Amino acid sequence: MRIAIVGGGPGGLYFAALMKQLDPAHRVTVWERNAPDDTFGFGVVFSDETLGGIENADPEFAAAVSDRFARWTDIDIHLRGRSHTVGGQGFAALGRRELLRLLQERCLGLGVDLRFGTPAPDTAELCASHDLVVAADGANSLVRQAYAEEFRPALDTRRNKYMWLGTDLVFEAFQFFVKETEWGTMQVHGYPYSDSGSTFIVELPEDVWRRAGFDTADAAGLPPGVSDEPAVERIRGVFAEELDGHRLLANNSKWLTFTTVRNERWHHGNLVLLGDAAHTAHFSIGSGTKLAMEDSLALAACLHEHPDLPGALTAYEAERRPVVESTQRAAQASLEWFENLGMYVDQEPTRFCFNLLTRSRRITYDNLRTRDPQFADRVSAAFAEAQGAAEVVPAMFQPFRLGQLELKNRVVVSPMDMYSAVDGVPGDFHLVHLGSRAMGGAGLVMTEMVCVSPEGRITPGCTGLWTDGQQDAWRRIVSYVHARTTARIGLQLGHSGRKGSTRLMWEGMDAPLAEGNWEVVGPSALPYGPGSAVPREVTRADMDRITTEFTAAARRGAEAGFDLLELHCAHGYLLSSFLSPLANRRTDAYGGPLENRLRFPLEVFDAVRAVWPADRPMIVRISATDWAPDGNTEHDAVGIARAFVEHGADAIDVSTGQVTKDERPAYGRSYQTPFADRIRHEVAARAGAAVIAVGAIASWDDVNSILLAGRADLCALGRTHLYDPQWTLHAAAEQDYRGPAADWPLPFRAGSRKPPTARTDAVRPRLSLLRAEHDDRAVHLRWTPHREPAPVP
């Protein structure tokens, strides 16, 4: 093959070396506009997985690199004048200049044609004269820009400012310096990369950057390679204590804002994107060079394994895209955490450290316990102490007081529509469904959305509370939960609004009824999506009637014995659609600014709160973002949550979306938790209200991690409880917890131990295990430079 590579960074060079090894007959040319010894930045970090892939693909290069790595396992977190160390993480780093030198030598030794100081020819010309063209020309890829219609890039420029610097202070471990200044919070990400230097990245929010006066210089006017020396000098002063008399080094150092690069396609014809040209991930998870070299490995392997180029490029993208998107989700969570760092600096130090370590959701409590059990024990103890608990148990099994309601643990069975009622009456199905989840150990079991009127149903199968017969049916279920379990049961009340009169879920989600349909209403005459019914805009008289329906249903719920009431203001149903500018285009006092859009939902809340027993909590579920342009964002969610808390809500149940068919959710594990985190820190915790996190929380480890980091007070799980009605009890067994927070029903207690799955007669290496248990070096490895001893005078 004739292969053209645009860009002589680590990804392009490594791909060139791999292809020449696979077939020396390949003619591989690399164009790089910079000189061979030009490199910007200081150190690069690798994971053990990446190093393993490099070793398998190119043992000679892996050996050369390995000899030069700085290695360590510790993270030092500096907060409010104290340092906290967490071990067991595992890092390897080396200088970027050294990495490029080794890659250049490897390529030259294999016969790659390296053309430094030479801009690449026109891409169309390269595509015509070569079998394959690889665009490895970085985050600001000119090739990608030229073929934007084919690759369809999306660039997300973030808020924080950062500057990439170095220092001759050789750190012993990864460093997070969190510095409170007169202008606000700044932080440093630092790590060693050699015997003589460390990377020193300064990051701060834009408002802090402006208050500190860093916006006065025209960094944009600096030519490539020239550093913003006034800013560098200012940083030397701000971080003089952290630098401890050592030099701060600049190398093309200027203020930047991070841009996350995504592309709908990574290849077009015989042109393919690689590394930062295809995707970027925030530096706080150290993945740029790692991802580029992993791309190179995958692309080379796919070209070798597939007989034709289109098949190879399709396989490359199919293999790498899920990995990259997963990394980008983790990086997004990490960068957003640092953007909001100021929210967390007042946390108790151990909780803050745990919060920082688990920010990307890739490290969890159980994972951390494997890495550094002593620190994990400190996290659990600090949480128990903060709760005033008598003993240290898994966080999910610490009790919680919601208003005046005592919950035995922090697990909630999330509301889930079952579409299985007849004329709004819950039957045996609902008794078994809710009763079994209550017997399964959850502290709080929520009903599905119980509709306040026949016209307020989503489907003909939805439950209701508009008749005394429905009240009696619900009383039967509530009585069972109270008599046979120690769980509490909550009622979710709602009105379908413009999303009503649709078929059962398994007959066609959101599809209008073919017959027997009813009129739907909304804040404005706007349908939920294509094919949905156009709602009638509600009048003031409609609002009065609907408010009365809510209060009548609440009274019936109280009579039925429910312990808690949740007002459903999420997922695009009536009250939620009033809150969203995508559904509410009214020009009266109930539309326009957020204050007006809140008016009717708050009227309903106040009316329901007035009739709901004062000793029973009332909470609200909201959609914290519409996941669509011009819709509500997390900033609106803070205002919405604050308004409900000020009106007396005991908790905010934080969900997202389902307000418009045009939504584009950023799905992922615990993907809605950051919204709960923000509302808890900015609103709820200050007012004494609780926050419930919900959404793709799949494991007890996720629940514990969310609670220990202070991101929520309770965790609601839906599909997880469909998969396993006894999920909470099983979680207790897997964590060896026995106690009142996971009390097995008497007839079930014989099964309270996790069944054995296998046995082995192998002799365990007990003495070596014992030594490892007491060997702190197994957890805490610090980088010690290998310097030559000073000559004797």
Side-chain angles (χ1 to χ4, degrees):
M1 296 181 70
R2 286 176 53 85
I3 300 172
I5 301 173
V6 182
L13 292 173
Y14 189 48
F15 175 72
L18 290 172
M19 291 305 293
K20 286 295 285 187
Q21 289 176 81
L22 288 170
D23 187 346
H26 289 322
R27 287 168 287 173
V28 183
T29 306
V30 178
W31 281 270
E32 170 54 54
R33 59 186 174 184
N34 293 310
D37 57 349
D38 285 346
T39 183
F40 306 123
F42 292 88
V44 295
V45 180
F46 290 95
S47 67
D48 291 339
E49 292 83 358
T50 305
L51 295 178
I54 292 173
E55 185 174 4
N56 289 331
D58 188 347
E60 183 176 331
F61 173 70
V65 172
S66 181
D67 289 343
R68 292 163 173 81
F69 274 131
R71 296 180 183 271
W72 71 95
T73 63
D74 279 358
I75 296 176
D76 295 338
I77 301 168
H78 308 271
L79 176 71
R80 301 201 293 270
R82 293 189 58 191
S83 297
H84 309 267
T85 297
V86 185
Q89 305 302 311
F91 298 97
L94 79 163
R96 182 177 174 85
R97 188 185 301 273
E98 181 73 359
L99 174 64
L100 288 172
R101 184 185 65 78
L102 292 170
L103 283 167
Q104 292 165 14
E105 290 177 358
R106 185 69 172 135
C107 286
L108 290 172
L110 292 165
V112 176
D113 182 2
L114 299 181
R115 302 184 184 182
F116 285 96
T118 308
D122 179 73
T123 305
E125 178 185 328
L126 289 175
C127 289
S129 59
H130 290 76
D131 300 302
L132 175 67
V133 178
V134 179
D137 53 340
N140 298 314
S141 170
L142 297 177
V143 175
R144 185 188 66 231
Q145 293 176 31
Y147 286 79
E149 290 187 8
E150 287 74 20
F151 295 124
R152 295 189 288 276
L155 308 180
D156 178 17
T157 301
R158 303 304 303 183
R159 304 192 306 270
N160 271 14
K161 298 287 186 178
Y162 72 96
M163 185 182 291
W164 209 284
L165 297 156
T167 176
D168 60 0
L169 170 60
V170 181
F171 296 130
E172 295 182 354
F174 212 110
Q175 306 292 314
F176 285 109
F177 294 103
V178 180
K179 192 172 186 73
E180 292 293 309
T181 74
E182 61 184 288
W183 310 287
T185 305
M186 304 181 187
Q187 72 261 16
V188 169
H189 313 248
Y191 58 87
Y193 62 81
S194 72
D195 289 351
S196 58
S198 301
T199 295
F200 195 92
I201 307 169
V202 178
E203 184 181 16
L204 64 164
E206 184 177 10
D207 60 338
V208 177
W209 177 78
R210 292 188 183 281
R211 286 196 295 270
F214 285 120
D215 61 335
T216 56
D218 182 18
L222 295 173
V226 176
S227 297
D228 184 352
E229 287 297 343
V232 174
E233 184 60 31
R234 187 85 182 281
I235 291 170
R236 287 190 182 101
V238 172
F239 290 98
E241 181 181 353
E242 289 74 16
L243 289 167
D244 192 26
H246 289 264
R247 292 186 299 156
L248 186 67
L249 308 174
N251 179 4
N252 193 35
S253 300
K254 57 195 70 174
W255 290 115
L256 303 169
T257 52
F258 189 83
T259 299
T260 300
V261 175
R262 299 178 178 88
N263 287 276
E264 288 189 25
R265 289 177 54 103
W266 291 2
H267 66 279
H268 169 69
N270 64 338
L271 174 62
V272 63
L273 301 177
L274 185 145
D276 283 355
H279 46 72
T280 60
H282 193 252
F283 57 82
S284 60
I285 65 169
S287 56
T289 301
K290 164 189 176 299
L291 287 176
M293 296 184 72
E294 289 175 351
D295 282 356
S296 301
L297 281 166
L299 180 58
C302 289
L303 288 165
H304 187 66
E305 293 164 357
H306 289 77
D308 61 281
L309 185 64
L313 298 184
T314 299
Y316 157 69
E317 186 169 341
E319 176 183 334
R320 290 296 295 157
R321 184 178 286 278
V323 177
V324 166
E325 289 179 348
S326 175
T327 301
Q328 286 186 315
R329 284 193 295 270
Q332 187 77 9
S334 181
L335 76 84
E336 289 177 1
W337 193 91
F338 281 110
E339 286 178 344
N340 298 307
L341 177 62
M343 290 198 312
Y344 309 116
V345 292
D346 293 329
Q347 282 188 316
E348 184 276 326
T350 302
R351 171 172 278 192
F352 176 87
C353 293
F354 180 78
N355 195 354
L356 186 154
L357 292 168
T358 59
R359 67 193 183 279
S360 73
R361 303 193 287 275
R362 287 198 157 185
I363 295 178
T364 62
Y365 175 77
D366 201 47
N367 178 268
L368 188 61
R369 170 164 289 285
T370 301
R371 298 167 184 243
D372 189 342
Q374 291 182 344
F375 179 76
D377 287 342
R378 291 201 297 273
V379 172
S380 293
F383 184 79
E385 181 180 356
Q387 312 309 311
E391 60 177 329
V392 177
V393 300
M396 64 187 290
F397 295 118
Q398 291 285 5
F400 187 75
R401 186 180 179 89
L402 182 55
Q404 298 184 45
L405 181 66
E406 295 285 348
L407 301 177
K408 64 180 178 181
N409 62 47
R410 297 174 183 241
V411 178
V412 180
V413 176
S414 195
M416 294 175 284
D417 291 320
M418 293 289 107
Y419 310 109
S420 299
V422 177
D423 296 327
V425 179
D428 290 346
F429 173 88
H430 299 84
L431 174 66
V432 173
H433 164 58
L434 296 171
S436 63
R437 272 82 195 162
M439 295 177 71
L444 175 64
V445 177
M446 293 298 302
T447 69
E448 61 194 89
M449 185 176 89
V450 177
C451 305
V452 299
S453 67
E455 299 77 22
R457 292 174 297 167
I458 308 166
T459 76
C462 290
T463 59
L465 252 179
W466 65 82
T467 71
D468 291 342
Q470 294 163 349
Q471 174 184 311
D472 293 340
W474 280 117
R475 181 185 290 114
R476 175 183 177 229
I477 294 170
V478 171
S479 297
Y480 178 87
V481 170
H482 287 164
R484 302 306 298 257
T485 81
T486 53
R488 298 292 178 258
I489 182 166
L491 165 67
Q492 186 189 67
L493 279 185
H495 186 296
S496 60
R498 66 178 186 168
K499 294 177 73 174
S501 192
T502 62
R503 303 175 193 180
L504 303 181
M505 179 180 65
W506 45 89
E507 294 175 353
M509 175 72 83
D510 299 322
L513 288 169
E515 56 184 25
N517 56 308
W518 55 86
E519 182 184 49
V520 297
V521 297
S524 302
L526 299 170
Y528 171 59
S532 298
V534 177
R536 177 176 61 79
E537 183 175 301
V538 296
T539 64
R540 179 64 258 183
D542 292 326
M543 294 184 208
D544 292 340
R545 173 179 50 80
I546 291 169
T547 302
T548 300
E549 291 168 349
F550 268 99
T551 57
R555 286 192 180 96
R556 288 192 172 95
E559 285 295 321
F562 282 104
D563 301 298
L564 169 150
L565 186 148
E566 178 174 87
L567 189 65
H568 200 346
C569 297
H571 299 168
Y573 299 118
L574 182 63
L575 300 182
S576 169
S577 61
F578 264 89
L579 294 172
S580 172
L582 299 178
N584 183 349
R585 304 284 176 82
R586 299 175 73 96
T587 57
D588 60 7
Y590 293 90
L594 180 59
E595 179 184 4
N596 287 2
R597 303 198 308 273
L598 270 161
R599 195 180 306 276
F600 181 54
L602 288 174
E603 289 177 357
V604 174
F605 178 91
D606 291 342
V608 172
R609 179 69 271 186
V611 302
W612 183 249
D615 61 341
R616 302 187 208 177
M618 182 171 168
I619 68 176
V620 179
R621 172 169 277 199
I622 67 171
S623 284
T625 177
D626 292 344
W627 296 116
D630 302 319
N632 282 333
T633 68
E634 68 271 21
H635 304 292
D636 300 297
V638 168
I640 292 169
R642 181 176 289 114
F644 280 114
V645 169
E646 289 174 351
H647 279 246
D650 294 288
I652 304 296
D653 186 358
V654 186
S655 188
T656 66
Q658 302 180 50
V659 174
T660 173
K661 280 284 192 180
D662 296 329
E663 68 178 4
R664 296 289 296 273
Y667 290 122
R669 199 173 98 248
S670 305
Y671 72 106
Q672 295 178 159
T673 300
F675 300 98
D677 188 10
R678 176 183 285 271
I679 288 171
R680 185 176 188 273
H681 281 87
E682 293 197 20
V683 179
R686 299 177 182 181
V691 163
I692 304 172
V694 64
I697 301 172
S699 71
W700 52 260
D701 191 21
D702 288 337
V703 173
N704 286 331
S705 299
I706 290 167
L707 297 173
L708 290 166
R711 298 181 182 121
D713 301 289
L714 300 162
C715 289
L717 299 91
R719 290 177 175 85
T720 305
H721 280 108
L722 295 180
Y723 178 78
D724 181 2
Q726 281 77 42
W727 180 83
T728 306
L729 295 180
H730 293 160
E734 289 173 8
Q735 296 173 81
D736 296 320
Y737 169 75
R738 289 175 173 272
D743 51 336
W744 286 71
L746 288 173
F748 290 178
R749 286 192 180 172
S752 62
R753 293 184 182 276
K754 186 177 180 180
T757 55
R759 61 172 293 171
T760 176
D761 295 323
V763 178
R764 299 174 66 224
R766 295 172 62 191
L767 293 179
S768 63
L769 287 175
L770 189 64
R771 284 193 295 271
E773 183 178 336
H774 293 88
D775 186 359
D776 202 44
R777 292 171 299 177
V779 174
H780 297 288
L781 173 66
R782 302 180 75 82
W783 170 239
T784 303
H786 304 291
R787 295 192 176 96
E788 293 296 327
V792 178

